Amino acid sequence: MKQLLSFQKVQKPLIFFIIFFPYVTFGIFLSDTSPFYLLLIAFLIFLRSSYSRLGLLKAALFVIILLLIDFAISTEINILKFCATVIIAESCFHYGRLLTYSISYKLILFLSVVWLFSGLITLIQPDFFSFLFYRVGYTSEISGAIRGAPGLTPEPSYYGMASAFLYAFAMQTKINRTGNKSLDLPSLIFGISVLLSLSLYGLAVLGVLAFKYNRYLSILSLISGLLVLTYIDTTFARLTLVLAEAIASGGSSLLEDSSIMYRLSNFILIYEIITT
């Protein structure tokens, strides 16, 4: 019993670290997806429950499909990195799902403030946390104020996407705790973090997830996305670049674009949150 209690004391901080800081590399390797998390949380999730093991098997099946597609069209994308992202996302979902029943309001509020504060810092000083992360597709030469806040992630799109998922996590936590679906402060803070990212993808994910919890926020996300696309210098908008390259190449560039694979690798997590 003492060993079990000791393990639980260690496990909860470990889970928080996994969910909120999944991109920290400490400069050990040049990657925006840490293989340490793949090995660690895949092992923990397998021991968690039969439902969690089923989720891991579904993620593995999705990975196999990605590998088969990559083999069939012979892309030059580092497909294994995105396969790792699928497993990590599925595992984080299962831990987050169970954590929504036990995490306190004060703790989720504290974490949301830390998350928002990291975004505000990087709007002012984009490279402030770069010693912890491998910044992908992001350099100080491209103004952080234009691209948006990278926060505690590799680049703005990651920060926007992660903020959207954390919004859903905070909303589900409140629903489990109170039964009330109205927007609370932690959920609002995570939603603001999405806006700070200036990421169309992050806003789109927030819009999809918010439709389950708060349709007004979903509409706001759509409007904000249109404003970003219209008024921000679209030279730096990933969606604009993807569409321009697809038109120029007749669509073939979509099959060899790591950005498309990155977004595809998050599909299973979006699906899980909406349907569970």
Side-chain angles (χ1 to χ4, degrees):
M1 179 63 71
K2 289 183 179 180
Q3 290 180 341
L4 178 60
L5 292 175
S6 177
F7 175 73
Q8 289 176 342
K9 289 180 180 179
V10 174
Q11 188 183 41
K12 183 164 286 189
L14 180 64
I15 293 170
F16 287 146
F17 183 80
I18 288 171
I19 291 177
F20 287 92
F21 305 98
Y23 310 109
V24 175
T25 64
F26 300 109
I28 297 175
F29 46 86
L30 298 180
S31 174
D32 55 356
T33 304
S34 172
F36 297 145
Y37 297 103
L38 173 62
L39 296 175
L40 178 62
I41 63 180
F43 174 73
L44 291 176
I45 198 68
F46 189 79
L47 299 178
R48 194 72 176 186
S49 67
S50 57
Y51 178 73
S52 298
R53 283 193 289 273
L54 177 61
L56 194 59
L57 290 174
K58 288 191 296 183
L61 177 61
F62 192 64
V63 163
I64 292 173
I65 293 174
L66 286 179
L67 290 172
L68 290 176
I69 293 174
D70 179 67
F71 178 78
I73 62 180
S74 301
T75 68
E76 297 180 358
I77 297 173
N78 182 6
I79 193 69
L80 294 179
K81 182 178 74 171
F82 297 103
C83 290
T85 304
V86 172
I87 301 296
I88 290 171
E90 178 69 17
S91 300
C92 283
F93 161 74
H94 284 281
Y95 273 103
R97 180 180 61 85
L98 296 174
L99 198 60
T100 57
Y101 290 95
S102 60
I103 190 171
S104 69
Y105 174 80
K106 289 183 179 179
L107 184 53
I108 190 66
L109 178 60
F110 170 75
L111 292 171
S112 66
V113 171
V114 169
W115 190 259
L116 175 63
F117 190 59
S118 73
L120 290 172
I121 289 175
T122 53
L123 275 179
I124 301 170
Q125 185 62 43
D127 295 324
F128 190 85
F129 298 110
S130 292
F131 67 98
L132 290 174
F133 304 93
Y134 174 65
R135 298 294 197 190
V136 55
Y138 180 84
T139 63
S140 57
E141 285 76 17
I142 299 177
S143 171
I146 293 177
R147 284 223 58 201
L152 297 173
T153 65
E155 55 99 36
S157 292
Y158 276 80
Y159 183 68
M161 177 266 308
S163 300
F165 288 139
L166 291 171
Y167 155 80
F169 174 76
M171 283 297 299
Q172 194 60 54
T173 298
K174 182 187 179 184
I175 292 171
N176 291 347
R177 186 178 65 251
T178 67
N180 190 333
K181 291 187 177 183
S182 62
L183 196 68
D184 65 349
L185 187 55
S187 306
L188 178 61
I189 291 175
F190 285 129
I192 293 173
S193 297
V194 178
L195 298 179
L196 285 181
S197 72
L198 297 181
S199 166
L200 291 175
Y201 177 64
L203 288 165
V205 175
L206 177 64
V208 171
L209 297 178
F211 191 78
K212 176 179 180 178
Y213 298 108
N214 189 312
R215 295 185 181 181
Y216 293 108
L217 184 59
S218 185
I219 295 172
L220 176 62
S221 301
L222 177 61
I223 295 174
S224 299
L226 292 174
L227 290 175
V228 169
L229 183 61
T230 304
Y231 294 108
I232 300 298
D233 184 353
T234 54
T235 302
F236 300 115
R238 184 58 189 157
L239 177 62
T240 304
L241 295 175
V242 168
L243 292 176
E245 291 174 2
I247 293 172
S249 66
S252 62
S253 64
L254 296 177
L255 301 177
E256 298 183 356
D257 192 314
S258 60
S259 178
I260 300 298
M261 293 303 298
Y262 157 62
R263 284 150 178 77
L264 183 62
S265 66
N266 288 296
F267 170 77
I268 191 171
L269 182 54
I270 297 171
Y271 173 78
E272 290 276 27
I273 293 175
I274 292 175
T275 58
T276 301

